Amino acid sequence: GGPRIVVFSTFYALMAYMVIHQMDPMWLDAVIALPLLMYGLEQMVKNGRYKLYTVVLTATFISNFYIGYMVAIFVTVYFFYAYFTTCEFGPGCAKDFAKRFFQFGFFSVLSALMACIVLLPTYFSLTLGKTEFSDPSFKLNSKFDLFDMLPKFLFGAYDTCRPEGLPTLYMGTMALIMLPLFYANKRISVRKKALSAVVLLVLTLSMTMSTVDLVWHGFQAPNWLNYRYSFMLCGFALVLCAESFLKPDGYTPGSVAGVTGIWVLLIFLLEKFGVDYIDVRITVWGSLGLFGFYFAFIAADCK
C-alpha cells in the first residue's frame, strides 16, 4: 500500500492551496501538520496514544495561532468522524466515548496551554487594534452557488486571491475520480461513507454560509486569500481517495467510466457556457487529457 498512499500524499503536497500560498508561507506549517494531526487523533481514538497528537497540535499553535485556531475546529469535527467510524456499538459504548472524548479535550487544552508562551503575547498584541481592522456583518447569506465551486476543482482554474475569489480546491485530477469511487466502493462501510459525507458537507457549507465562514476566520473577514481553511477539505478528501485506491477490488471499470463521463460532461458545459477565469486551452483541454489518462490507469487497476 505504500506506493499507492504516496500518490495522494504527493497530490496533497502539490495542491493549488500550497502553490498559491507560497506568497504567504507563514500559514503552510499548519498545512504540513494536518496529516500528522489526523493520524495522531486516529491513534488516540483507537488505542489511547496521545503523544503525537499533543506534540503536533502544540507545534501548530506555536507556529501560527490563526491557522492553528482553524485546525482546532477541524480536529474537533474529525474526532467524531474518527471515533464513530472505528467504534464497536454495544454495551459500554457510551462509557468508551466519554473516555475518548475527555482524553481528546484534555490533550487539546493541554496543547493550547503549552502554546501560551506564544498565544498570550499574541492575544495582547491583537487587543491593540488588530481585532478591529474590519467590521463584518454576521447576517447569514449565501456567498456563492454550489455549482460555482466545481470549476475550482479543475486543473489550472485560478480566479483571484481578492475577497471575491472562490475557494482554492484543486487537488489533482485523479482525486476527482477517486472521491466518487470512495462512495461506490463495495469494500467501504456504509457508516464510513455516511459520516465522511457529513464532514464534507460541513466543510462545504462553511464556505458558502457567510456567518459560518466568519467563525472559521476568527470572526474577522479576510481582506485577501479568503477561505483559508480550504486545505482541510482537500486533505480530508484525499484521505478518502487514498482509502478507495487501496481497495481497487471494490469498484468496477464501469463505475470508473461513469464518474469520468460525468466530469467530462461538466467540462463541456463549462466550455459551452463559459467561466471568465478559465483558459480553454489549459483547463478544458488539459483536464480532458488528464481524465483520459487517469480513466485508463484506474480502470486497468480494477480487480
Side-chain angles (χ1 to χ4, degrees):
R4 289 177 177 268
I5 294 174
V6 168
V7 170
F8 290 96
S9 62
T10 302
F11 286 153
Y12 183 74
L14 299 176
M15 62 183 173
Y17 187 100
M18 291 290 282
V19 175
I20 292 171
H21 285 74
Q22 293 297 318
M23 68 176 73
D24 200 8
M26 67 178 178
W27 294 340
L28 298 184
D29 293 344
V31 182
I32 296 168
L34 185 67
L36 287 172
L37 276 172
M38 294 169 73
Y39 177 71
L41 190 51
E42 289 173 6
Q43 292 298 305
M44 184 191 297
V45 165
K46 291 176 182 177
N47 49 44
R49 296 177 183 172
Y50 58 85
K51 292 181 181 178
L52 177 62
Y53 172 78
T54 306
V55 169
V56 176
L57 185 60
T58 303
T60 303
F61 284 142
I62 291 174
S63 172
N64 191 285
F65 77 96
Y66 181 53
I67 305 298
Y69 158 81
M70 299 180 193
V71 167
I73 297 176
F74 175 78
V75 294
T76 302
V77 175
Y78 193 74
F79 166 80
F80 291 98
Y81 171 79
Y83 182 83
F84 287 111
T85 53
T86 57
C87 72
E88 296 292 337
F89 291 110
C93 181
K95 183 178 180 181
D96 181 66
F97 171 77
K99 175 183 176 182
R100 294 304 182 202
F101 185 72
F102 174 80
Q103 188 179 36
F104 163 71
F106 176 81
F107 287 107
S108 297
V109 172
L110 180 62
S111 295
L113 291 175
M114 289 191 291
C116 276
I117 189 173
V118 170
L119 296 181
L120 285 178
T122 301
Y123 169 76
F124 286 116
S125 176
L126 291 174
T127 59
L128 299 177
K130 182 66 174 177
T131 57
E132 300 172 359
F133 80 95
S134 69
D135 184 24
S137 168
F138 287 90
K139 182 181 179 181
L140 183 62
N141 295 306
S142 176
K143 300 192 70 174
F144 54 84
D145 295 332
L146 286 176
F147 187 83
D148 292 341
M149 70 187 295
L150 290 178
K152 293 301 296 289
F153 285 100
L154 297 176
F155 171 71
Y158 171 75
D159 50 0
T160 179
C161 63
R162 294 190 293 272
E164 64 270 21
L166 292 167
T168 302
L169 298 170
Y170 177 71
M171 52 184 163
T173 303
M174 184 177 176
L176 301 181
I177 301 176
M178 292 309 306
L179 183 58
L181 289 179
F182 173 87
Y183 295 96
N185 197 311
K186 297 176 181 178
R187 289 193 55 202
I188 296 173
S189 69
V190 174
R191 190 202 310 182
K192 181 168 282 191
K193 291 175 182 177
L195 290 173
S196 63
V198 171
V199 175
L200 291 174
L201 184 63
V202 167
L203 292 170
T204 301
L205 292 180
S206 293
M207 297 177 189
T208 62
M209 300 170 67
S210 59
T211 307
V212 182
D213 182 62
L214 281 171
V215 173
W216 276 94
H217 287 104
F219 303 93
Q220 292 288 334
N223 54 5
W224 69 311
L225 288 173
N226 50 357
Y227 307 105
R228 297 170 183 180
Y229 53 92
S230 63
F231 70 92
M232 301 174 195
L233 173 61
C234 296
F236 180 74
L238 286 170
V239 168
L240 304 182
C241 292
E243 182 170 354
S244 185
F245 193 48
L246 288 170
K247 300 173 180 177
D249 54 335
Y251 48 83
T252 65
S255 57
V256 180
V259 171
T260 307
I262 292 172
W263 275 109
V264 169
L265 177 61
L266 172 64
I267 291 170
F268 282 136
L269 288 174
L270 290 176
E271 182 186 27
K272 173 66 175 178
F273 296 104
V275 177
D276 55 5
Y277 61 84
I278 281 182
D279 187 316
V280 171
R281 296 165 299 174
I282 297 175
T283 299
V284 172
W285 297 110
S287 293
L288 288 173
L290 288 170
F291 274 115
F293 170 79
Y294 284 122
F295 164 72
F297 175 71
I298 298 170
D301 188 53
C302 294
K303 298 178 182 179

